[in-house]
Amino acid sequence: MHQLTLAEIARGLADKKFSSEELTKVLLARIAQLDPQLNSFISVTEDLALQQAKAADVRRANGESGALLGAPIAHKDLFCTLGIRTSCGSKMLDNFKAPYDATVVAKLAAAGTVTLGKTNMDEFAMGSANESSYYGAVKNPWNLEHVPGGSSGGSAAAVAARLLPAATGTDTGGSIRQPAALTNLTGLKPTYGRVSRWGMIAYASSLDQGGPLARTAEDCAILLQGMAGFDPQDSTSIDEPVPDYSASLNGSLQGLRIGVPKEYFSAGLDPRIAELIHNSVKELEKLGAVVKEISLPNMQHAIPAYYVIAPAEASSNLSRFDGVRFGYRCEDPKDLTDLYKRSRGEGFGPEVQRRIMVGAYALSAGYYDAYYLKAQKIRRLIKNDFMAAFNEVDIILGPTTPNPAWKLGAKNSDPVAAYLEDVYTITANLAGLPGLSMPAGFVDGLPVGVQLLAPYFQEGRLLNVAHQYQLNTDWHTRTPTGF
Ligand code: GLN
């Protein structure tokens, strides 16, 4: 039963092959048995899950239907969940029980999902390896000595290991797409403003966006349908109608114009990944797509711009964690300054502290123009590059990451080495565009992802292309040994 996708679960529940309660029990037992190897959950919410599963079964028995009614999922532990610990992977929030549900959590619960738990993540979503979590590193089910990617690494590892069919994640610079690529999943970062950020603990507010992680594009469509939509409580939420994502999955790719940026195939890309990306292009050509080389000339500036803007916003967002209002407070402070200093010094891990310092520096008088303002100008140039490219092509295709999953600890002494892994993903966040990663093959037994980018609000197009690709390839069906 644990191999079923969301779409298959919906059919099984509708046909009364099993109940949500039965399925939920099977998955909870699997989590108890297998998660100690992976560490993909921070909290397992067994009681809530069983109560939601029973309620979903009652709703179905009363004639209700819906693709998510009775579907087991989990939330990245930065979505606020009423009365349940919402830690953000940090000691700072280890004791924080949210007083309300995030909009995404509330919408999915209303659609009938069953919350199995809260998944592990890099502390405050800062990272690409899920090694900065206060709750310990997450392991990649494809090779337990390797990282699963981050920062949504717990969601990715859990879904890849078939502990559950799908989970939520968030993506500020790649944190849905990169772990999806490194664990053989399909992951979608929606257009900025498509999914409400209300109740999502902020890292970099102008870049953060929630989205689905699942094994197939079809399942991402189902989960996104439950997450997307205007939310008056989020001032950056966009009031655009939500299309039926499942309805557009079967559109033909005949004549689809795919742009492949020449800058993507530079020295930093593992040549074996380059070959798999070229193979995926050929596969899409067979389905009728037309391929064209394009250029994104300002891409080389994306990492420096992102690593100014994201820490700048983080330094502001994380100032609320002061030992007074939320979370961790140091023992016996001698005065207010001591309280602030020690609560933040003891509550935040080293990567979070590094980013707060970088961000505060970039925003300080005298450096603001040189760093922050300059980075914002680069951000505009990157957006302009995409707008020019989308005049010529319908989607942009390339690798999701320059390398497959690295060994645990391999980049710990050099944070910049990890930052460089974000080279293909962060541009979509800087421009606010939707992006998807899907499985495209393996290198040394480790999964490789291909990334698709589309114009604003064309999540349906991304899911359509990925679904057609998945109807004609079987990379996404491969299961890691032992799971
Ligand atoms: N790896 C990037 C960072 O560390 C992106 C993280 C994310 O998308 N949350 O900032």
Side-chain angles (χ1 to χ4, degrees), residues 365-401:
Y367 295 107
Y368 180 91
D369 287 359
Y371 295 109
Y372 184 72
L373 207 61
K374 195 83 175 167
Q376 291 290 19
K377 288 179 178 169
I378 292 170
R379 185 174 190 175
R380 172 50 64 104
L381 293 178
I382 286 168
K383 179 184 169 184
N384 290 351
D385 282 357
F386 277 119
M387 295 305 101
F390 284 128
N391 281 332
E392 296 177 51
V393 297
D394 302 311
I395 63 164
I396 294 175
L397 180 150
T400 309
T401 62

PDB file of all heavy atoms in Angstrom, residues 365-401:
ATOM      1  N   ALA A 365      24.292  51.138   7.212  1.00  0.00           N
ATOM      2  CA  ALA A 365      24.598  52.412   6.548  1.00  0.00           C
ATOM      3  C   ALA A 365      26.027  52.351   6.038  1.00  0.00           C
ATOM      4  O   ALA A 365      26.930  51.877   6.716  1.00  0.00           O
ATOM      5  CB  ALA A 365      24.434  53.550   7.558  1.00  0.00           C
ATOM      6  N   GLY A 366      26.238  52.782   4.826  1.00  0.00           N
ATOM      7  CA  GLY A 366      27.582  52.756   4.258  1.00  0.00           C
ATOM      8  C   GLY A 366      27.796  51.542   3.361  1.00  0.00           C
ATOM      9  O   GLY A 366      28.586  51.598   2.434  1.00  0.00           O
ATOM     10  N   TYR A 367      27.081  50.439   3.629  1.00  0.00           N
ATOM     11  CA  TYR A 367      27.250  49.250   2.787  1.00  0.00           C
ATOM     12  C   TYR A 367      25.982  48.925   1.999  1.00  0.00           C
ATOM     13  O   TYR A 367      26.005  48.142   1.071  1.00  0.00           O
ATOM     14  CB  TYR A 367      27.632  48.037   3.651  1.00  0.00           C
ATOM     15  CG  TYR A 367      28.966  48.226   4.299  1.00  0.00           C
ATOM     16  CD1 TYR A 367      29.066  48.482   5.660  1.00  0.00           C
ATOM     17  CD2 TYR A 367      30.137  48.187   3.542  1.00  0.00           C
ATOM     18  CE1 TYR A 367      30.299  48.685   6.257  1.00  0.00           C
ATOM     19  CE2 TYR A 367      31.365  48.392   4.128  1.00  0.00           C
ATOM     20  CZ  TYR A 367      31.446  48.645   5.487  1.00  0.00           C
ATOM     21  OH  TYR A 367      32.655  48.845   6.065  1.00  0.00           O
ATOM     22  N   TYR A 368      24.880  49.541   2.397  1.00  0.00           N
ATOM     23  CA  TYR A 368      23.579  49.280   1.765  1.00  0.00           C
ATOM     24  C   TYR A 368      23.644  49.467   0.235  1.00  0.00           C
ATOM     25  O   TYR A 368      23.260  48.603  -0.542  1.00  0.00           O
ATOM     26  CB  TYR A 368      22.553  50.220   2.392  1.00  0.00           C
ATOM     27  CG  TYR A 368      21.164  50.091   1.858  1.00  0.00           C
ATOM     28  CD1 TYR A 368      20.247  49.227   2.454  1.00  0.00           C
ATOM     29  CD2 TYR A 368      20.748  50.836   0.762  1.00  0.00           C
ATOM     30  CE1 TYR A 368      18.970  49.112   1.970  1.00  0.00           C
ATOM     31  CE2 TYR A 368      19.460  50.729   0.266  1.00  0.00           C
ATOM     32  CZ  TYR A 368      18.564  49.872   0.867  1.00  0.00           C
ATOM     33  OH  TYR A 368      17.297  49.754   0.385  1.00  0.00           O
ATOM     34  N   ASP A 369      24.173  50.625  -0.187  1.00  0.00           N
ATOM     35  CA  ASP A 369      24.243  50.911  -1.632  1.00  0.00           C
ATOM     36  C   ASP A 369      25.157  49.925  -2.354  1.00  0.00           C
ATOM     37  O   ASP A 369      24.850  49.462  -3.452  1.00  0.00           O
ATOM     38  CB  ASP A 369      24.769  52.329  -1.870  1.00  0.00           C
ATOM     39  CG  ASP A 369      23.714  53.369  -1.522  1.00  0.00           C
ATOM     40  OD1 ASP A 369      22.601  52.965  -1.122  1.00  0.00           O
ATOM     41  OD2 ASP A 369      24.008  54.569  -1.636  1.00  0.00           O
ATOM     42  N   ALA A 370      26.283  49.638  -1.706  1.00  0.00           N
ATOM     43  CA  ALA A 370      27.284  48.794  -2.370  1.00  0.00           C
ATOM     44  C   ALA A 370      26.816  47.347  -2.500  1.00  0.00           C
ATOM     45  O   ALA A 370      27.135  46.683  -3.488  1.00  0.00           O
ATOM     46  CB  ALA A 370      28.590  48.831  -1.583  1.00  0.00           C
ATOM     47  N   TYR A 371      26.065  46.847  -1.538  1.00  0.00           N
ATOM     48  CA  TYR A 371      25.685  45.434  -1.571  1.00  0.00           C
ATOM     49  C   TYR A 371      24.194  45.223  -1.845  1.00  0.00           C
ATOM     50  O   TYR A 371      23.811  44.647  -2.849  1.00  0.00           O
ATOM     51  CB  TYR A 371      26.083  44.746  -0.252  1.00  0.00           C
ATOM     52  CG  TYR A 371      27.567  44.706  -0.066  1.00  0.00           C
ATOM     53  CD1 TYR A 371      28.189  45.501   0.887  1.00  0.00           C
ATOM     54  CD2 TYR A 371      28.367  43.882  -0.858  1.00  0.00           C
ATOM     55  CE1 TYR A 371      29.579  45.469   1.040  1.00  0.00           C
ATOM     56  CE2 TYR A 371      29.742  43.847  -0.705  1.00  0.00           C
ATOM     57  CZ  TYR A 371      30.336  44.643   0.252  1.00  0.00           C
ATOM     58  OH  TYR A 371      31.695  44.608   0.403  1.00  0.00           O
ATOM     59  N   TYR A 372      23.348  45.710  -0.959  1.00  0.00           N
ATOM     60  CA  TYR A 372      21.921  45.389  -1.071  1.00  0.00           C
ATOM     61  C   TYR A 372      21.304  45.988  -2.338  1.00  0.00           C
ATOM     62  O   TYR A 372      20.646  45.293  -3.126  1.00  0.00           O
ATOM     63  CB  TYR A 372      21.181  45.863   0.188  1.00  0.00           C
ATOM     64  CG  TYR A 372      19.723  45.470   0.176  1.00  0.00           C
ATOM     65  CD1 TYR A 372      19.351  44.148   0.373  1.00  0.00           C
ATOM     66  CD2 TYR A 372      18.746  46.413  -0.071  1.00  0.00           C
ATOM     67  CE1 TYR A 372      18.024  43.779   0.339  1.00  0.00           C
ATOM     68  CE2 TYR A 372      17.413  46.050  -0.104  1.00  0.00           C
ATOM     69  CZ  TYR A 372      17.053  44.729   0.099  1.00  0.00           C
ATOM     70  OH  TYR A 372      15.738  44.366   0.057  1.00  0.00           O
ATOM     71  N   LEU A 373      21.569  47.288  -2.537  1.00  0.00           N
ATOM     72  CA  LEU A 373      20.983  47.952  -3.708  1.00  0.00           C
ATOM     73  C   LEU A 373      21.515  47.350  -5.008  1.00  0.00           C
ATOM     74  O   LEU A 373      20.769  47.142  -5.967  1.00  0.00           O
ATOM     75  CB  LEU A 373      21.304  49.444  -3.634  1.00  0.00           C
ATOM     76  CG  LEU A 373      20.324  50.360  -4.321  1.00  0.00           C
ATOM     77  CD1 LEU A 373      18.938  50.240  -3.705  1.00  0.00           C
ATOM     78  CD2 LEU A 373      20.791  51.816  -4.222  1.00  0.00           C
ATOM     79  N   LYS A 374      22.805  47.065  -5.023  1.00  0.00           N
ATOM     80  CA  LYS A 374      23.428  46.453  -6.202  1.00  0.00           C
ATOM     81  C   LYS A 374      22.780  45.093  -6.478  1.00  0.00           C
ATOM     82  O   LYS A 374      22.454  44.762  -7.626  1.00  0.00           O
ATOM     83  CB  LYS A 374      24.931  46.265  -5.904  1.00  0.00           C
ATOM     84  CG  LYS A 374      25.764  45.977  -7.103  1.00  0.00           C
ATOM     85  CD  LYS A 374      26.101  47.270  -7.796  1.00  0.00           C
ATOM     86  CE  LYS A 374      27.038  47.092  -8.951  1.00  0.00           C
ATOM     87  NZ  LYS A 374      27.072  48.338  -9.742  1.00  0.00           N
ATOM     88  N   ALA A 375      22.587  44.319  -5.423  1.00  0.00           N
ATOM     89  CA  ALA A 375      21.986  42.987  -5.584  1.00  0.00           C
ATOM     90  C   ALA A 375      20.566  43.110  -6.145  1.00  0.00           C
ATOM     91  O   ALA A 375      20.147  42.317  -6.994  1.00  0.00           O
ATOM     92  CB  ALA A 375      21.975  42.250  -4.252  1.00  0.00           C
ATOM     93  N   GLN A 376      19.823  44.134  -5.693  1.00  0.00           N
ATOM     94  CA  GLN A 376      18.457  44.319  -6.208  1.00  0.00           C
ATOM     95  C   GLN A 376      18.474  44.680  -7.695  1.00  0.00           C
ATOM     96  O   GLN A 376      17.588  44.286  -8.454  1.00  0.00           O
ATOM     97  CB  GLN A 376      17.730  45.416  -5.416  1.00  0.00           C
ATOM     98  CG  GLN A 376      17.405  45.033  -3.972  1.00  0.00           C
ATOM     99  CD  GLN A 376      16.321  43.962  -3.856  1.00  0.00           C
ATOM    100  OE1 GLN A 376      16.021  43.227  -4.787  1.00  0.00           O
ATOM    101  NE2 GLN A 376      15.739  43.864  -2.672  1.00  0.00           N
ATOM    102  N   LYS A 377      19.509  45.423  -8.106  1.00  0.00           N
ATOM    103  CA  LYS A 377      19.618  45.769  -9.539  1.00  0.00           C
ATOM    104  C   LYS A 377      19.916  44.520 -10.370  1.00  0.00           C
ATOM    105  O   LYS A 377      19.378  44.348 -11.461  1.00  0.00           O
ATOM    106  CB  LYS A 377      20.709  46.827  -9.733  1.00  0.00           C
ATOM    107  CG  LYS A 377      20.286  48.194  -9.208  1.00  0.00           C
ATOM    108  CD  LYS A 377      21.375  49.233  -9.368  1.00  0.00           C
ATOM    109  CE  LYS A 377      20.859  50.577  -8.861  1.00  0.00           C
ATOM    110  NZ  LYS A 377      21.947  51.568  -8.747  1.00  0.00           N
ATOM    111  N   ILE A 378      20.774  43.670  -9.821  1.00  0.00           N
ATOM    112  CA  ILE A 378      21.070  42.416 -10.529  1.00  0.00           C
ATOM    113  C   ILE A 378      19.795  41.568 -10.622  1.00  0.00           C
ATOM    114  O   ILE A 378      19.515  40.947 -11.647  1.00  0.00           O
ATOM    115  CB  ILE A 378      22.189  41.643  -9.791  1.00  0.00           C
ATOM    116  CG1 ILE A 378      23.500  42.410  -9.923  1.00  0.00           C
ATOM    117  CG2 ILE A 378      22.333  40.227 -10.341  1.00  0.00           C
ATOM    118  CD1 ILE A 378      24.612  41.878  -9.055  1.00  0.00           C
ATOM    119  N   ARG A 379      19.026  41.600  -9.547  1.00  0.00           N
ATOM    120  CA  ARG A 379      17.771  40.840  -9.541  1.00  0.00           C
ATOM    121  C   ARG A 379      16.897  41.266 -10.719  1.00  0.00           C
ATOM    122  O   ARG A 379      16.312  40.432 -11.409  1.00  0.00           O
ATOM    123  CB  ARG A 379      17.066  41.106  -8.209  1.00  0.00           C
ATOM    124  CG  ARG A 379      15.829  40.299  -8.009  1.00  0.00           C
ATOM    125  CD  ARG A 379      15.270  40.495  -6.622  1.00  0.00           C
ATOM    126  NE  ARG A 379      14.222  39.523  -6.403  1.00  0.00           N
ATOM    127  CZ  ARG A 379      13.578  39.352  -5.262  1.00  0.00           C
ATOM    128  NH1 ARG A 379      13.878  40.094  -4.215  1.00  0.00           N
ATOM    129  NH2 ARG A 379      12.625  38.446  -5.154  1.00  0.00           N
ATOM    130  N   ARG A 380      16.809  42.567 -10.959  1.00  0.00           N
ATOM    131  CA  ARG A 380      16.007  43.058 -12.079  1.00  0.00           C
ATOM    132  C   ARG A 380      16.581  42.589 -13.422  1.00  0.00           C
ATOM    133  O   ARG A 380      15.843  42.199 -14.320  1.00  0.00           O
ATOM    134  CB  ARG A 380      15.909  44.592 -12.015  1.00  0.00           C
ATOM    135  CG  ARG A 380      15.266  45.245 -13.227  1.00  0.00           C
ATOM    136  CD  ARG A 380      13.943  44.597 -13.596  1.00  0.00           C
ATOM    137  NE  ARG A 380      12.916  44.733 -12.580  1.00  0.00           N
ATOM    138  CZ  ARG A 380      11.892  45.574 -12.634  1.00  0.00           C
ATOM    139  NH1 ARG A 380      11.721  46.334 -13.698  1.00  0.00           N
ATOM    140  NH2 ARG A 380      11.026  45.622 -11.652  1.00  0.00           N
ATOM    141  N   LEU A 381      17.915  42.606 -13.540  1.00  0.00           N
ATOM    142  CA  LEU A 381      18.530  42.167 -14.801  1.00  0.00           C
ATOM    143  C   LEU A 381      18.223  40.692 -15.061  1.00  0.00           C
ATOM    144  O   LEU A 381      17.967  40.286 -16.197  1.00  0.00           O
ATOM    145  CB  LEU A 381      20.051  42.373 -14.753  1.00  0.00           C
ATOM    146  CG  LEU A 381      20.531  43.832 -14.712  1.00  0.00           C
ATOM    147  CD1 LEU A 381      22.058  43.882 -14.605  1.00  0.00           C
ATOM    148  CD2 LEU A 381      20.064  44.607 -15.939  1.00  0.00           C
ATOM    149  N   ILE A 382      18.251  39.898 -13.979  1.00  0.00           N
ATOM    150  CA  ILE A 382      17.961  38.463 -14.130  1.00  0.00           C
ATOM    151  C   ILE A 382      16.513  38.266 -14.575  1.00  0.00           C
ATOM    152  O   ILE A 382      16.209  37.481 -15.473  1.00  0.00           O
ATOM    153  CB  ILE A 382      18.269  37.727 -12.806  1.00  0.00           C
ATOM    154  CG1 ILE A 382      19.792  37.637 -12.656  1.00  0.00           C
ATOM    155  CG2 ILE A 382      17.623  36.348 -12.757  1.00  0.00           C
ATOM    156  CD1 ILE A 382      20.281  37.208 -11.301  1.00  0.00           C
ATOM    157  N   LYS A 383      15.614  39.021 -13.992  1.00  0.00           N
ATOM    158  CA  LYS A 383      14.209  38.948 -14.410  1.00  0.00           C
ATOM    159  C   LYS A 383      14.077  39.355 -15.895  1.00  0.00           C
ATOM    160  O   LYS A 383      13.374  38.684 -16.662  1.00  0.00           O
ATOM    161  CB  LYS A 383      13.361  39.872 -13.529  1.00  0.00           C
ATOM    162  CG  LYS A 383      11.913  39.853 -13.913  1.00  0.00           C
ATOM    163  CD  LYS A 383      11.074  40.820 -13.129  1.00  0.00           C
ATOM    164  CE  LYS A 383       9.709  40.910 -13.798  1.00  0.00           C
ATOM    165  NZ  LYS A 383       8.837  41.886 -13.191  1.00  0.00           N
ATOM    166  N   ASN A 384      14.766  40.432 -16.275  1.00  0.00           N
ATOM    167  CA  ASN A 384      14.694  40.882 -17.671  1.00  0.00           C
ATOM    168  C   ASN A 384      15.209  39.809 -18.631  1.00  0.00           C
ATOM    169  O   ASN A 384      14.643  39.615 -19.713  1.00  0.00           O
ATOM    170  CB  ASN A 384      15.498  42.170 -17.864  1.00  0.00           C
ATOM    171  CG  ASN A 384      14.836  43.359 -17.183  1.00  0.00           C
ATOM    172  OD1 ASN A 384      13.705  43.271 -16.703  1.00  0.00           O
ATOM    173  ND2 ASN A 384      15.547  44.482 -17.127  1.00  0.00           N
ATOM    174  N   ASP A 385      16.266  39.096 -18.236  1.00  0.00           N
ATOM    175  CA  ASP A 385      16.785  37.999 -19.080  1.00  0.00           C
ATOM    176  C   ASP A 385      15.689  36.963 -19.327  1.00  0.00           C
ATOM    177  O   ASP A 385      15.519  36.468 -20.446  1.00  0.00           O
ATOM    178  CB  ASP A 385      17.939  37.264 -18.371  1.00  0.00           C
ATOM    179  CG  ASP A 385      19.264  38.017 -18.436  1.00  0.00           C
ATOM    180  OD1 ASP A 385      19.320  39.078 -19.073  1.00  0.00           O
ATOM    181  OD2 ASP A 385      20.241  37.513 -17.824  1.00  0.00           O
ATOM    182  N   PHE A 386      14.964  36.620 -18.256  1.00  0.00           N
ATOM    183  CA  PHE A 386      13.896  35.617 -18.401  1.00  0.00           C
ATOM    184  C   PHE A 386      12.775  36.141 -19.300  1.00  0.00           C
ATOM    185  O   PHE A 386      12.242  35.407 -20.133  1.00  0.00           O
ATOM    186  CB  PHE A 386      13.337  35.235 -17.026  1.00  0.00           C
ATOM    187  CG  PHE A 386      14.144  34.202 -16.303  1.00  0.00           C
ATOM    188  CD1 PHE A 386      14.721  34.481 -15.074  1.00  0.00           C
ATOM    189  CD2 PHE A 386      14.329  32.926 -16.838  1.00  0.00           C
ATOM    190  CE1 PHE A 386      15.457  33.524 -14.389  1.00  0.00           C
ATOM    191  CE2 PHE A 386      15.064  31.954 -16.155  1.00  0.00           C
ATOM    192  CZ  PHE A 386      15.641  32.266 -14.925  1.00  0.00           C
ATOM    193  N   MET A 387      12.410  37.415 -19.095  1.00  0.00           N
ATOM    194  CA  MET A 387      11.309  37.966 -19.901  1.00  0.00           C
ATOM    195  C   MET A 387      11.693  37.924 -21.389  1.00  0.00           C
ATOM    196  O   MET A 387      10.877  37.582 -22.245  1.00  0.00           O
ATOM    197  CB  MET A 387      10.991  39.405 -19.474  1.00  0.00           C
ATOM    198  CG  MET A 387      10.445  39.547 -18.059  1.00  0.00           C
ATOM    199  SD  MET A 387       8.967  38.550 -17.725  1.00  0.00           S
ATOM    200  CE  MET A 387       9.639  37.174 -16.844  1.00  0.00           C
ATOM    201  N   ALA A 388      12.956  38.248 -21.687  1.00  0.00           N
ATOM    202  CA  ALA A 388      13.412  38.208 -23.089  1.00  0.00           C
ATOM    203  C   ALA A 388      13.373  36.771 -23.601  1.00  0.00           C
ATOM    204  O   ALA A 388      12.908  36.505 -24.720  1.00  0.00           O
ATOM    205  CB  ALA A 388      14.822  38.780 -23.183  1.00  0.00           C
ATOM    206  N   ALA A 389      13.828  35.827 -22.761  1.00  0.00           N
ATOM    207  CA  ALA A 389      13.859  34.419 -23.188  1.00  0.00           C
ATOM    208  C   ALA A 389      12.443  33.908 -23.455  1.00  0.00           C
ATOM    209  O   ALA A 389      12.201  33.193 -24.433  1.00  0.00           O
ATOM    210  CB  ALA A 389      14.545  33.567 -22.125  1.00  0.00           C
ATOM    211  N   PHE A 390      11.495  34.296 -22.588  1.00  0.00           N
ATOM    212  CA  PHE A 390      10.129  33.788 -22.763  1.00  0.00           C
ATOM    213  C   PHE A 390       9.389  34.454 -23.929  1.00  0.00           C
ATOM    214  O   PHE A 390       8.273  34.067 -24.252  1.00  0.00           O
ATOM    215  CB  PHE A 390       9.336  33.897 -21.453  1.00  0.00           C
ATOM    216  CG  PHE A 390       9.719  32.842 -20.441  1.00  0.00           C
ATOM    217  CD1 PHE A 390      10.073  33.188 -19.143  1.00  0.00           C
ATOM    218  CD2 PHE A 390       9.731  31.496 -20.797  1.00  0.00           C
ATOM    219  CE1 PHE A 390      10.435  32.217 -18.214  1.00  0.00           C
ATOM    220  CE2 PHE A 390      10.087  30.511 -19.873  1.00  0.00           C
ATOM    221  CZ  PHE A 390      10.449  30.877 -18.580  1.00  0.00           C
ATOM    222  N   ASN A 391      10.016  35.438 -24.567  1.00  0.00           N
ATOM    223  CA  ASN A 391       9.463  35.920 -25.842  1.00  0.00           C
ATOM    224  C   ASN A 391       9.730  34.920 -26.952  1.00  0.00           C
ATOM    225  O   ASN A 391       9.050  34.906 -27.980  1.00  0.00           O
ATOM    226  CB  ASN A 391      10.103  37.258 -26.236  1.00  0.00           C
ATOM    227  CG  ASN A 391       9.478  38.394 -25.464  1.00  0.00           C
ATOM    228  OD1 ASN A 391       8.310  38.306 -25.072  1.00  0.00           O
ATOM    229  ND2 ASN A 391      10.240  39.445 -25.229  1.00  0.00           N
ATOM    230  N   GLU A 392      10.754  34.083 -26.735  1.00  0.00           N
ATOM    231  CA  GLU A 392      11.163  33.152 -27.797  1.00  0.00           C
ATOM    232  C   GLU A 392      10.760  31.715 -27.533  1.00  0.00           C
ATOM    233  O   GLU A 392      10.667  30.921 -28.458  1.00  0.00           O
ATOM    234  CB  GLU A 392      12.692  33.155 -27.931  1.00  0.00           C
ATOM    235  CG  GLU A 392      13.296  34.470 -28.381  1.00  0.00           C
ATOM    236  CD  GLU A 392      14.820  34.330 -28.397  1.00  0.00           C
ATOM    237  OE1 GLU A 392      15.324  33.371 -29.002  1.00  0.00           O
ATOM    238  OE2 GLU A 392      15.472  35.167 -27.759  1.00  0.00           O
ATOM    239  N   VAL A 393      10.625  31.350 -26.264  1.00  0.00           N
ATOM    240  CA  VAL A 393      10.347  29.937 -25.933  1.00  0.00           C
ATOM    241  C   VAL A 393       9.228  29.840 -24.895  1.00  0.00           C
ATOM    242  O   VAL A 393       8.910  30.815 -24.208  1.00  0.00           O
ATOM    243  CB  VAL A 393      11.614  29.220 -25.396  1.00  0.00           C
ATOM    244  CG1 VAL A 393      12.704  29.165 -26.450  1.00  0.00           C
ATOM    245  CG2 VAL A 393      12.122  29.872 -24.115  1.00  0.00           C
ATOM    246  N   ASP A 394       8.657  28.626 -24.787  1.00  0.00           N
ATOM    247  CA  ASP A 394       7.556  28.416 -23.832  1.00  0.00           C
ATOM    248  C   ASP A 394       8.065  27.963 -22.470  1.00  0.00           C
ATOM    249  O   ASP A 394       7.489  28.328 -21.445  1.00  0.00           O
ATOM    250  CB  ASP A 394       6.583  27.356 -24.373  1.00  0.00           C
ATOM    251  CG  ASP A 394       6.032  27.748 -25.722  1.00  0.00           C
ATOM    252  OD1 ASP A 394       5.577  28.901 -25.856  1.00  0.00           O
ATOM    253  OD2 ASP A 394       6.076  26.917 -26.660  1.00  0.00           O
ATOM    254  N   ILE A 395       9.088  27.114 -22.485  1.00  0.00           N
ATOM    255  CA  ILE A 395       9.693  26.719 -21.209  1.00  0.00           C
ATOM    256  C   ILE A 395      11.206  26.711 -21.364  1.00  0.00           C
ATOM    257  O   ILE A 395      11.731  26.644 -22.481  1.00  0.00           O
ATOM    258  CB  ILE A 395       9.213  25.334 -20.687  1.00  0.00           C
ATOM    259  CG1 ILE A 395       9.610  24.220 -21.648  1.00  0.00           C
ATOM    260  CG2 ILE A 395       7.750  25.298 -20.405  1.00  0.00           C
ATOM    261  CD1 ILE A 395       9.507  22.859 -20.973  1.00  0.00           C
ATOM    262  N   ILE A 396      11.881  26.771 -20.218  1.00  0.00           N
ATOM    263  CA  ILE A 396      13.343  26.706 -20.193  1.00  0.00           C
ATOM    264  C   ILE A 396      13.715  25.424 -19.479  1.00  0.00           C
ATOM    265  O   ILE A 396      13.120  25.080 -18.446  1.00  0.00           O
ATOM    266  CB  ILE A 396      13.916  27.943 -19.469  1.00  0.00           C
ATOM    267  CG1 ILE A 396      13.609  29.198 -20.296  1.00  0.00           C
ATOM    268  CG2 ILE A 396      15.421  27.797 -19.234  1.00  0.00           C
ATOM    269  CD1 ILE A 396      14.011  30.505 -19.628  1.00  0.00           C
ATOM    270  N   LEU A 397      14.679  24.699 -20.053  1.00  0.00           N
ATOM    271  CA  LEU A 397      15.052  23.395 -19.489  1.00  0.00           C
ATOM    272  C   LEU A 397      16.542  23.363 -19.184  1.00  0.00           C
ATOM    273  O   LEU A 397      17.345  23.900 -19.948  1.00  0.00           O
ATOM    274  CB  LEU A 397      14.681  22.302 -20.494  1.00  0.00           C
ATOM    275  CG  LEU A 397      14.976  20.849 -20.107  1.00  0.00           C
ATOM    276  CD1 LEU A 397      13.952  19.924 -20.755  1.00  0.00           C
ATOM    277  CD2 LEU A 397      16.387  20.416 -20.479  1.00  0.00           C
ATOM    278  N   GLY A 398      16.890  22.701 -18.094  1.00  0.00           N
ATOM    279  CA  GLY A 398      18.303  22.520 -17.756  1.00  0.00           C
ATOM    280  C   GLY A 398      18.436  21.624 -16.552  1.00  0.00           C
ATOM    281  O   GLY A 398      17.454  21.045 -16.082  1.00  0.00           O
ATOM    282  N   PRO A 399      19.653  21.489 -16.039  1.00  0.00           N
ATOM    283  CA  PRO A 399      19.835  20.684 -14.836  1.00  0.00           C
ATOM    284  C   PRO A 399      19.230  21.385 -13.627  1.00  0.00           C
ATOM    285  O   PRO A 399      19.134  22.612 -13.614  1.00  0.00           O
ATOM    286  CB  PRO A 399      21.356  20.581 -14.685  1.00  0.00           C
ATOM    287  CG  PRO A 399      21.932  21.652 -15.544  1.00  0.00           C
ATOM    288  CD  PRO A 399      20.902  22.096 -16.527  1.00  0.00           C
ATOM    289  N   THR A 400      18.829  20.628 -12.603  1.00  0.00           N
ATOM    290  CA  THR A 400      18.394  21.252 -11.349  1.00  0.00           C
ATOM    291  C   THR A 400      19.606  21.559 -10.481  1.00  0.00           C
ATOM    292  O   THR A 400      19.643  22.594  -9.796  1.00  0.00           O
ATOM    293  CB  THR A 400      17.432  20.311 -10.581  1.00  0.00           C
ATOM    294  OG1 THR A 400      16.397  19.891 -11.472  1.00  0.00           O
ATOM    295  CG2 THR A 400      16.822  21.011  -9.370  1.00  0.00           C
ATOM    296  N   THR A 401      20.586  20.659 -10.510  1.00  0.00           N
ATOM    297  CA  THR A 401      21.787  20.848  -9.683  1.00  0.00           C
ATOM    298  C   THR A 401      23.019  20.500 -10.516  1.00  0.00           C
ATOM    299  O   THR A 401      22.938  19.671 -11.426  1.00  0.00           O
ATOM    300  CB  THR A 401      21.785  19.905  -8.458  1.00  0.00           C
ATOM    301  OG1 THR A 401      21.801  18.542  -8.926  1.00  0.00           O
ATOM    302  CG2 THR A 401      20.556  20.113  -7.592  1.00  0.00           C
TER     303      THR A 401
END
